Amino acid sequence: VSRTHPGLIRRLFELEVPEVARGLVEIMGVAREPGYRSKVAVISRQQGIDPIGACVGVRGTRIQNIVNELGGERIDLIRWDPNPTAFIVNALSPAEVVSIRVDEETNTAFIAVPDKQLSLAIGKEGQNARLAARLTKRRIDIQAESVLITGGQDLYQPPRPNMDAIPLAERPGLPTLPPPPREVAPSQAVYA
């Protein structure tokens, strides 16, 4: 058993966050550089529950307990999105994405950020971009917005993030109840 394993963060969230333990908030992915920084993608499975707010807790108490257990490792909570483009944009937070184009053949996302946020998007020693790439399982190419404009390339607006809860799909193997009969029994006609 190793404290550097990404599964450790999942279990710590299950211990500290009741919504994760009950399945109302699901951890969709974890990218981790042990001891330094982690990115955790979460999604709500029930309407009205903010997945990031549930994980952070009142005044940050829940997340602070997890950070203390990991020895001060910084944890970024990211909203998972079924749209891969929107998920890449979320994974690069706290940087703002101005343009994103995904090449499916090379599995690469070409991203443009404002000139002032280029270092923020890349992160210290490339840490933010590296963790975002691991979380999204794509290669990420980040450039400044002015480089794209000067080169005459088109800008592709990022999609709007999905803020709705994503309910669980029907589980296979569970029986479904047949629809109620349309006919009414003579003894029940009065009640119908």
Side-chain angles (χ1 to χ4, degrees):
V1 178
S2 171
R3 292 185 63 81
T4 62
H5 194 277
L8 176 69
I9 287 187
R10 287 181 186 272
R11 296 295 177 234
L12 287 173
F13 270 97
E14 286 176 9
L15 288 173
E16 291 293 332
V17 184
E19 289 85 352
V20 172
R22 282 188 253 136
L24 302 176
V25 173
E26 188 174 344
I27 296 175
M28 301 300 286
V30 176
R32 185 172 181 213
E33 288 192 358
Y36 299 103
R37 190 171 177 189
S38 295
K39 283 187 181 272
V40 180
V42 292
I43 189 68
S44 174
R45 294 297 188 183
Q46 184 175 342
Q47 204 66 33
I49 294 180
D50 174 26
I52 294 174
C55 291
V56 169
V58 178
R59 295 193 194 117
T61 53
R62 293 176 175 175
I63 196 81
Q64 192 59 50
N65 290 340
I66 296 169
V67 167
N68 291 342
E69 184 65 34
L70 294 172
E73 182 175 318
R74 196 169 150 211
I75 298 175
D76 294 344
L77 292 169
I78 290 152
R79 186 180 297 273
W80 184 83
D81 200 298
N83 179 349
T85 309
F87 180 46
I88 294 167
V89 170
N90 292 347
L92 276 170
S93 68
E96 175 190 341
V97 174
V98 175
S99 170
I100 180 168
R101 181 176 57 86
V102 178
D103 184 2
E104 294 294 338
E105 290 178 11
T106 60
N107 199 30
T108 304
F110 298 96
I111 294 170
V113 295
D115 294 12
K116 292 180 179 179
Q117 292 193 0
L118 183 61
S119 62
L120 180 65
I122 295 170
K124 185 178 181 182
E125 298 175 4
Q127 191 176 52
N128 191 48
R130 194 168 47 249
L131 286 172
R134 257 190 245 152
L135 190 63
T136 59
K137 295 175 179 55
R138 292 188 186 266
R139 186 175 171 276
I140 295 179
D141 184 357
I142 302 174
Q143 292 183 336
E145 180 182 21
S146 62
V147 173
L148 283 179
I149 293 170
T150 308
Q153 297 179 28
D154 293 332
L155 294 176
Y156 301 91
Q157 289 287 72
R160 294 191 57 159
N162 181 9
M163 302 302 277
D164 297 331
I166 299 175
L168 289 169
E170 289 293 322
R171 294 183 182 167
L174 292 178
T176 56
L177 295 174
R182 295 273 182 215
E183 299 175 6
V184 179
S187 62
Q188 301 295 319
V190 176
Y191 299 108

